[in-house]
Amino acid sequence: MTERNQNYGKIISIRGSIVDSEFSKSVPALNNILICGDDNDIKIEVIMHLDDRTVRGVGLTGTQGLAVGSDILDTGSSLQVPVGESLLGRAFNVFGDPIDNKEAPEASEYRSIHQTPPDMSRLSVSTEIFETGIKVIDILSPLELGGKSGLFGGAGVGKTVLIMEMIHNMVGKHKGSSLFCGIGERCREGEELYREMREAGVLDKTIMMFGQMNEPPGARFRVGHAALTMAEYFRDDRNEDVFLLIDNIFRFIQAGMEVSGLLGRLPSRLGYQPTLGTELAELEERIVNSKTGAITSVQAVYVPADDFTDPAAVHTFGHLSSSIVLSRKKAGEGIYPAVDPLQSNSSMLTPEIVGEKHYRIAGDIRRNMAEYENLKDIIAMLGIEELSQEDRQTVNRARRLERFLTQPFYVTEQFTGYEGRMVDIEDTLKGCERILNDELADYSEESVYMIGGIEEAGTS
């Protein structure tokens, strides 16, 4: 764009991250990036048109130092990020700039972060299980290859630890590339994850992108779209499967709520933005399984005040093929991973997909666990001795199943002292079947706690 053709405007209003600008030549398109400031280092994304000359934008960077009457330039395009194999092993911010203190990679091309989902003719329906090596997930809430899975839980119940363990376990099984997207999370967590992945030797097949919690809401709101653009390159151009981890999808919704409030929109229920459903769908509908490859996503979902009726949790549930619910109560009992077997579910858990045996064992586990939950009040008041023989057997089975489905993680070895374990589905099914058949009734509960396969029972 030559100097004469450049589309300059004037800033007419600044309210925090929201900047209104007036253009006399032509009005910038929605999602266009406007640049301003002394060094043109302040970036504004056009969010709405106020009239045929005035646009309202949200700052992707801080807006300190701007003044009413300052020049602002329409770049003529939306936010672009680099794509390509040269990005593997690197960490980026929402603009595609490296944040790992290394030179910028030579990208094959730059693409807009605003891409449309593949049309229906290009989609592929998969019924393949994506094995994680984590017992309780593989048996009770199996993941779908090319599907979306959610890790639901309040603060401090182990969402990030579980995601880090999945990254570790995917290295041996996963043939494609991985992409970690940190939305509004702590800087410390990102630095730790980068270091651990480098030490584990998995960084060279992973791209990391962060929109940290100290960044403006506009940047946090777009970092998911930027990461997906990079993931789509590997799916559509390289014909590879991509493992996409998002921590945390609630922070994406929260960033949208902040932007909505700054724009002056009337809030919806519990203060959420009125456009919550649409904004979440724009992101989630791009995570699909096409004929060229699959993007398999695991998303941590913070649940405010452990309230699963919160609109953020309810809207996210609707997009997922499997839901893994983490329980504060289980964590308090020392059951790790703290997965609630009665609330977690998966659309893949049908006889046609996982097989009759897996489906039957998963149903028996849930039935025993549910009966145990119902008997807990009686045990608390009267003691286990007052139960019938049949109910006592149910309690013993459920308690052993509960402990067998715990698992030592590789990423927590230094904290727990337990050596990490990765268990395939067949070994998990065999162990659960033996417990359900009362073959381990004489074993202590501790002997099946924090082990891998059932053959380790009794050796501790």
Side-chain angles (χ1 to χ4, degrees):
M1 190 185 286
T2 63
E3 186 71 32
R4 196 192 320 175
N5 293 331
Q6 287 181 333
N7 186 19
Y8 277 99
K10 294 285 184 187
I11 294 174
I12 59 173
S13 169
I14 305 164
R15 296 181 312 284
S17 293
I18 301 300
V19 177
D20 293 351
S21 314
E22 193 173 62
F23 289 80
S24 55
K25 184 181 285 187
S26 63
V27 67
L30 287 176
N31 299 326
N32 270 16
I33 296 295
L34 314 177
I35 55 175
C36 50
D38 293 338
D39 301 315
N40 281 340
D41 56 348
I42 296 175
K43 294 182 172 68
I44 312 289
E45 184 179 42
V46 177
I47 294 291
M48 61 170 66
H49 292 152
L50 300 181
D51 56 42
D52 59 355
R53 295 177 60 189
T54 314
V55 297
R56 178 164 290 167
V58 62
L60 302 183
T61 57
T63 55
Q64 294 87 349
L66 285 185
V68 172
S70 299
D71 287 340
I72 188 165
L73 173 65
D74 174 20
T75 61
S77 67
S78 58
L79 184 60
Q80 311 270 322
V81 292
V83 296
E85 286 188 271
S86 61
L87 275 60
L88 291 168
R90 303 297 302 276
F92 300 91
N93 62 15
V94 68
F95 304 109
D97 299 326
I99 55 173
D100 51 7
N101 295 324
K102 296 179 184 176
E103 290 290 321
E106 292 185 13
S108 55
E109 62 176 296
Y110 281 74
R111 290 185 183 173
S112 168
I113 66 167
H114 300 283
Q115 301 288 340
T116 54
D119 57 48
M120 295 290 284
S121 62
R122 287 177 53 207
L123 298 185
S124 168
V125 180
S126 166
T127 54
E128 193 177 334
I129 295 294
F130 193 81
E131 197 171 335
T132 65
I134 298 170
K135 291 184 286 189
V136 67
I137 293 175
D138 286 341
I139 197 166
L140 293 177
S141 188
L143 309 190
E144 175 189 4
L145 180 68
K148 297 183 276 281
S149 306
L151 280 175
F152 290 83
V157 293
K159 297 184 298 300
T160 302
V161 170
L162 201 49
I163 274 192
M164 286 167 63
E165 183 71 6
M166 283 184 182
I167 292 174
H168 182 281
N169 289 0
M170 288 312 123
V171 181
K173 294 175 175 288
H174 192 57
K175 297 294 185 290
S177 306
S178 296
L179 201 149
F180 179 89
C181 176
I183 306 178
E185 287 298 293
R186 301 166 189 84
C187 308
R188 169 186 58 79
E189 287 180 343
E191 193 275 334
E192 285 176 0
L193 187 64
Y194 179 85
R195 198 157 21 87
E196 284 170 7
M197 291 178 75
R198 186 178 59 198
E199 290 168 5
V202 303
L203 190 61
D204 60 340
K205 291 292 286 179
T206 305
I207 300 171
M208 306 184 82
M209 176 167 275
F210 295 99
Q212 295 156 18
M213 58 170 54
N214 63 328
E215 295 184 28
R220 284 181 273 124
F221 189 52
R222 290 306 185 204
V223 69
H225 296 83
L228 260 171
T229 301
M230 293 180 176
E232 285 165 344
Y233 168 83
F234 289 95
R235 181 192 66 192
D236 300 334
D237 292 49
R238 302 287 304 170
N239 297 345
E240 291 182 11
D241 290 341
V242 186
F243 187 48
L244 172 67
L245 296 123
I246 301 177
D247 187 8
N248 180 310
I249 203 72
F250 173 78
R251 304 293 177 200
F252 165 75
I253 294 170
Q254 195 175 45
M257 182 165 58
E258 292 176 47
V259 170
S260 179
L262 289 166
L263 291 171
R265 292 176 181 150
L266 283 174
S268 181
R269 185 171 161 237
L270 297 185
Y272 285 103
Q273 62 270 43
T275 51
L276 190 160
T278 309
E279 290 169 359
L280 188 61
E282 283 175 358
L283 185 73
E284 296 281 7
E285 291 305 301
R286 290 171 63 182
I287 307 172
V288 290
N289 192 357
S290 75
K291 290 174 181 174
T292 55
I295 298 179
T296 304
S297 169
V298 175
Q299 308 168 14
V301 187
Y302 167 69
V303 180
D306 293 343
D307 177 16
F308 285 90
T309 64
D310 187 272
V314 171
H315 277 274
T316 308
F317 265 122
H319 291 279
L320 306 175
S321 55
S322 64
S323 304
I324 302 156
V325 178
L326 300 178
S327 159
R328 193 173 304 283
K329 187 179 173 190
K330 295 280 182 195
E333 293 170 357
I335 305 297
Y336 293 105
V339 175
D340 188 324
L342 301 179
Q343 284 191 285
S344 303
N345 59 70
S346 171
S347 61
M348 302 297 283
L349 196 57
T350 64
E352 295 77 24
I353 296 174
V354 298
E356 286 286 348
K357 179 184 176 184
H358 186 154
Y359 180 73
R360 173 179 54 79
I361 290 172
D364 288 345
I365 291 170
R366 283 215 174 93
R367 190 160 43 253
N368 273 270
M369 295 282 199
E371 288 175 18
Y372 176 43
E373 283 297 317
N374 292 334
L375 292 169
K376 277 183 176 178
D377 286 342
I378 299 173
I379 296 168
M381 288 187 291
L382 304 174
I384 197 167
E385 295 78 14
E386 296 301 315
L387 299 179
S388 67
Q389 185 64 33
E390 186 181 343
D391 284 346
R392 266 191 245 179
Q393 284 181 324
T394 299
V395 170
N396 288 336
R397 276 196 296 268
R399 288 180 65 86
R400 280 163 179 75
L401 284 167
E402 199 172 51
R403 280 149 183 77
F404 176 63
L405 292 176
T406 61
Q407 190 166 342
F409 283 176
Y410 289 98
V411 296
T412 59
E413 282 180 0
Q414 56 184 323
F415 309 116
T416 63
Y418 291 105
E419 187 183 339
R421 296 283 192 282
M422 189 172 172
V423 187
D424 62 43
I425 292 179
E426 281 306 312
D427 286 346
T428 305
L429 289 171
K430 184 173 77 173
C432 291
E433 192 170 36
R434 287 187 62 188
I435 294 172
L436 289 165
N437 293 336
D438 292 328
E439 292 179 33
L440 276 74
D442 296 331
Y443 283 57
S444 69
E445 292 173 4
E446 289 72 25
S447 68
V448 293
Y449 177 69
M450 282 293 173
I451 61 171
I454 198 67
E455 65 280 354
E456 295 180 32
T459 60
S460 57

